[in-house]
Amino acid sequence: TDEEKREHFRDYYAEIELIDDQFGRLMQYLEDIGEKDNTLVIFMSDHGELNGDHGLYWKGAYFYESLVHIPLIMSCPSRFKKGLRSDALVELVDIAPTLMDMAGFEVPFYMQGKSLLPILTGEANPHYHKDSVYSEFYHCLKGTHEDIYATMYYDGRYKIVNYHGKEFGELYDHQEDPNEFCNLWDDPEHALLRAKLTQRNFDAAIMKNMDLSMNRINEY
């Protein structure tokens, strides 16, 4: 109902204000004890909120930008370039190797992520980090979307969502349709692109779910 929608937004903004206040207290404490410049602070989220986008609320087996495009703010004034903004494609799996890199540890070859430290220090192009990003939903919410196993591949322009075992899917061109209202999945003119991106998504799913730490134990 309209009242339920208003209540949802009231709750949402209240949660934002709560986080803002408490995070502010933490940052003020670091300032007061003189450790703000030497402390790595990471502000992030695990997912976004739909809040009525596309007529939907909460979250679920969706890969719209309002859910998968989340904040990632990192601060360490003594180490990082100040005022740096990046629109590069990054993933949360990049955080762990970034921390290891900062601490002087060698990043194991089998880790999925890629260190953001060169971007953060101004040594690398802030607008490029990797060619694509990947996300997945495998029946992880009890009571909703229990038959959905889906993967998403996004290269900065095109986003494809494959619902495995289903006939439907999603394909968006962010250059022409940044708000993702025009699904090109069934468009004959984009059939070849759909096939190519489906293969890339399949490759990403397989490669990212391999346990590379095991190494090969046989030559055959």
Side-chain angles (χ1 to χ4, degrees), residues 80-107:
F80 298 165
K81 187 175 180 180
K82 297 180 181 180
L84 179 69
R85 295 178 65 91
S86 170
D87 57 6
L89 295 176
V90 304
E91 301 169 292
L92 293 183
V93 292
D94 296 327
I95 293 178
T98 300
L99 295 176
M100 296 187 70
D101 201 5
M102 284 195 67
F105 293 103
E106 182 179 355
V107 179

Side-chain angles (χ1 to χ4, degrees), residues 18-165:
L18 172 66
I19 293 297
D20 191 46
D21 288 346
Q22 301 307 318
F23 193 75
R25 291 179 58 201
L26 175 62
M27 296 303 295
Q28 186 60 54
Y29 175 74
L30 291 175
E31 183 78 48
D32 292 343
I33 64 173
E35 291 296 338
K36 182 178 178 181
D37 285 353
N38 299 312
T39 301
L40 171 61
V41 178
I42 303 176
F43 186 93
M44 50 175 269
S45 172
D46 58 340
H47 60 81
E49 285 289 337
L50 285 163
N51 279 341
D53 289 353
H54 298 274
L56 300 167
Y57 286 84
W58 311 114
K59 60 180 180 179
Y62 311 110
F63 298 88
Y64 293 120
E65 285 293 279
S66 52
L67 282 182
V68 300
H69 193 170
I70 60 170
L72 178 58
I73 304 170
M74 304 178 72
S75 171
C76 188
S78 65
R79 298 282 302 274
F80 298 165
K81 187 175 180 180
K82 297 180 181 180
L84 179 69
R85 295 178 65 91
S86 170
D87 57 6
L89 295 176
V90 304
E91 301 169 292
L92 293 183
V93 292
D94 296 327
I95 293 178
T98 300
L99 295 176
M100 296 187 70
D101 201 5
M102 284 195 67
F105 293 103
E106 182 179 355
V107 179
F109 72 93
Y110 50 80
M111 290 189 73
Q112 291 184 19
K114 178 183 177 183
S115 174
L116 294 162
L117 190 59
I119 289 180
L120 295 168
T121 56
E123 298 174 6
N125 179 5
H127 305 300
Y128 176 79
H129 184 60
K130 54 180 61 173
D131 293 331
S132 64
V133 291
Y134 170 85
S135 185
E136 60 188 27
F137 182 100
Y138 295 158
H139 179 190
C140 58
L141 288 177
K142 188 174 182 180
T144 180
H145 304 120
E146 293 191 351
D147 64 336
I148 295 298
Y149 296 82
T151 54
M152 179 211 82
Y153 176 93
Y154 177 56
D155 64 10
R157 175 173 179 179
Y158 295 107
K159 176 188 292 186
I160 192 166
V161 180
N162 293 100
Y163 295 95
H164 304 284

Side-chain angles (χ1 to χ4, degrees), residues 174-192:
H174 275 207
Q175 180 173 294
E176 304 296 331
D177 177 34
N179 294 315
E180 301 175 327
F181 285 118
C182 182
N183 185 1
L184 303 172
W185 179 267
D186 291 320
D187 181 8
E189 294 185 3
H190 289 83
L192 183 60

